[in-house]
Amino acid sequence: MTARGMWTDSVRVRYLVRRTGRLLVSLLVLLTAAFLMIHVIPGDPVRGALGPTAPADLVAARRESLGLNDPLAVQYLNYLRHLLAGDLGTSMISGLPVSEMLAQRLPATLSIALLAFVGAVAIAVPLGVGFGVLTRNGRARRAELGFTSVSSVLGTIPEFLFAVGLVYLFGVQWQILPVAGRSGPESYVLPVLCLAIGPAALLARILRVEMVAILTADFIRTARAKRLPAPIIYLRHALPNALTATLTIGGLLLGSMIAGTILVESVFAWPGLGSTIVQSILTKDYPVAQGIVLFYGATVLVLTMVVDLILAALDPRSAIGQS
Amino acid sequence: MATTSIPGSVPATRAVSRSSTSARWLAVLRTPVGAAAGLLLIGFLALSIIAPPLWADDANAVDTDSILQGPSAEHLVGTDNLGRDLFLRVLVASASSIQLALLATGLAVMAGVILGSVPLLVGPRLGRLITSAINIAIAFPGLLLALFFAVIFGVGSTGAVLAIGAAGAPSFARLMLTLTASVIERDYVSAARIAGVGRVRILLRHVLPNIGEPLVVNATIGAGGALLAFASLSFLGLGVQPPAYDWGQLLNTGLNSIYRNPAAAFAPGIAVVLAGLAFNMLGESIAQIIGAPTIRSGSPTHRRRGLRTASHPLPPEESRSTTSDRVLDVVDLSVTFPGADGPVRPVRGINLTVQRGEAVGIVGESGSGKSLTALAIARLVEEPGQVDAERLEFLGVDLLSGSEREHRDLLGTSLAVVFQDPMTSFNPTQRMGRQLAEVAEQHQGMNRRHAFLRAIDRLRAVRVPTPALRAQQYPHQFSGGMRQRAMIGMGLMGSPALIVADEPTTALDPTVQQQVLRLLASIRRADDVAILLISHDVSVVAELCDRVLVMYAGQIVEDLPVAELTTRARHPYTRALIAAVPTMRTDLGMPLNAIPGLPVDPAHVPVGCPYAARCPRADDHCRGEDPPLVADAAGRRVACWHADEREES
């Protein structure tokens, strides 16, 4: 690297270090919250899991094997030590290690979440940019009104309601797509669609507003003064600037999309983490619930950081501003 | 016209006088969306109150003869597996669904307000800890938080209310923090703190009364979210448990029988969406109305009203030169914007030519149309603005005929534009060198590397130190003066015949202004480049230009050599402008010479000479007929009936 890039690079490295530090603190808070989760449950979690009819000595034995009789601090340290070794505990129902259950269920969840995110972005960016250009400077008021109302309605409808509609159309009316289970590629269509529609609508709506604002900026006039063709003005000059604000909210959307898998998996009997956590809460299988909450939480935190880093790469000012 | 606002943060709240509050809340109901949402919400609330006493018994009546039926006249939405009427069940479920959602929202607001006011009460150190905890919690999606708390509080209505309330608390806490911060910074609160008023008192007396409004708005929106979240939990089987029921639970059982009776799933689904939207939309419309009343607007020139289509045929400016030397030739140029009461014309009947290597200045007050004239000449006026002219030729090419695309390369390489605010005129997300290089890539067919080298060379030409390093940097790493020089360098990527500089020094401090003016002057000398300099500052124009055009109310009122500006100006307005410039000889004890009266509003241009209202010499002739711009033998032009009268001394 020549001398020229060093200045900006050192700013970015410092930002990376600071941002990683923040992630670690957040993770520690998350770990502690997940640990405490089991301890603040009213009553005895083991008794709750095994049911009121379970013999007292079985409950006592299970408590002992889970280490619930140790002092809290000892339990906490043990918990952290086990976590570092990749041990998330054992299911109270099936007796399987939670980490094994996670590894087994993760691919199903990850695949629909990723596909939905890519799909949402692929739909939202062209729509947002297109409508932004169309409605800039207060033009095409009707198109703006229509776009804004449709996208905000779509954005507020929760995933499981889309699911009901899609199941009815594709499963009941036309019977062209499977509505339950994970079998072939076609079984992905409905869950992914359910997961993607809401975030796509919100993202497109935000992107349009951002584009309209950016298109009045002085540097867009400069780009026009350079006589650049319209596609370059919109895509190279306006879009990256509009993306910074869009991505900030997009990061939050990504998190809610991860959480959305919980609902969507339950509707489509999708064998992923989401349906597992719901089951574990219903059956009071606390170690499993704890493990999955931890995993979802950590995923959200890491994703938020990735979004921040992308932001810093896109707009160098954001790295400096967040000191 | 010369005001360019830098987009900043909109304050979260405004100080609000109590009396106007209710009026503005009522105004929400006058917007179509607000009215619809309000009516819908009132309908739902009424339903949730009257439904249980009226229909609860019928909704629970088991009828084993009509199990799992589809919609019929008797059962509008069909029946469930115990033969209970689903339509009635959906109506009755409004009670539990809405009440539980409101309960959870109330809990979230309360917990949030308490949590959010702790940092104010306990002081900065512990406060920071809580603030960062809130910031961490807010990163998690609501449903995930709700599930987390559902594990703790257990399955069932109570657990779900607590879980959704707890999950909503962090965002209200964050809102509380933001609002508190904005109130705390107000002068009177600072004064109270300095005077030793206690923290609790500040919270109760100053903070809470000021943030009630945004809290209520966000709680309304939050109630919509809570309603949907509650439906989600019940749908998952974690919320309301049988035999009690709400919409989420009805939806769950409805989905199981969707093959037999789709209506059983749709009815509660539609109810959830409508109720959720009602809360959401009402909240959003209130937020819009009380939040930011005047954000949407274009540039000020787009907003003028009224109609004025004045101006008479003006003599084209022919006398001075042969056509071949002309860089710019403009005849009868006007710019029109649509207004509420018909088209508005802030620029009218402009005639001007610029010769090769000539520096022409345009001066005038804000709103005189000088910047718009420059933009029109540079073909940068955007819709809905419309530029008309009898002739608009640049280097002999008619810019009015043919498409924008045809002139792109010519204008991109030969016409450079320098804008007023170098802070905002560069793309903040691109390296400086790229922004310059782009011109050569686009119009001169250079590849990326060559164009970049050219950009470095041009930065050097405009005296940016260590240009190779600077080209790799972003605009925010440049100082204001350096950015303006880079902007000029951008214009030099091609081989410009004309530089249109719109207030190029206004945003810079005086020493830097000099550098920029000297740079423009040296470029002009070196390459015989013509300059059209727009400025409100007569002294800036006098320093760089050969000739000055004085604009008033969208027209040129005088055109004369710079050398004669102080001695032989004939238009009273020009003289007033000169007199208003303080010099070293200005008596500091005397008030500055300001021009009395206000500039003309382009929407209401008066009959006659537009300057008449402010002119000491105006007579009935002036007020009745607008004087034409007349050229004398030497080529000087003036539009004044009294131009040839000597100034009485």
Side-chain angles (χ1 to χ4, degrees), chain A residues 36-50:
Chain A
L36 290 175
M37 182 164 96
I38 287 192
H39 294 273
V40 294
I41 292 165
D44 181 359
V46 176
R47 170 59 71 190
L50 296 180

Side-chain angles (χ1 to χ4, degrees), chain B residues 365 552 572-580 591-600 610-618:
Chain B
E365 289 166 301
Y552 189 81
Y573 177 63
T574 313
R575 289 190 196 146
L577 272 184
I578 305 294
L592 288 173
N593 275 318
I595 304 175
L598 289 172
V600 171
Y611 188 61
R614 303 166 77 183
C615 183
R617 296 198 187 174

Side-chain angles (χ1 to χ4, degrees), chain B residues 250-276:
Chain B
L250 289 175
L251 196 64
N252 189 349
T253 49
L255 185 64
N256 290 332
S257 60
I258 195 167
Y259 283 92
R260 243 170 286 139
N261 179 15
F266 284 135
I270 291 168
V272 169
V273 171
L274 284 183

Side-chain angles (χ1 to χ4, degrees), chain B residues 271-347:
Chain B
V272 169
V273 171
L274 284 183
L277 277 179
F279 277 111
N280 247 323
M281 294 287 183
L282 186 67
E284 302 268 2
S285 354
I286 298 172
Q288 238 170 37
I289 292 213
I290 68 172
T294 56
I295 290 179
R296 281 164 189 275
S297 59
S299 92
T301 44
H302 296 212
R303 300 250 132 207
R304 303 275 154 76
R305 271 182 221 148
L307 168 67
R308 158 86 197 197
T309 43
S311 88
H312 18 177
L314 295 172
E317 192 196 13
E318 296 273 7
S319 48
R320 227 182 325 253
S321 62
T322 56
T323 337
S324 60
D325 278 351
R326 272 183 201 164
V327 173
L328 184 69
D329 189 355
V330 178
V331 176
D332 197 15
L333 175 103
S334 67
V335 183
T336 316
F337 286 95
D341 310 323
V344 180
R345 200 160 287 174
V347 169

Side-chain angles (χ1 to χ4, degrees), chain B residues 101 110 165 231 535 592 633:
Chain B
M110 230 152 62
S535 183
L592 288 173

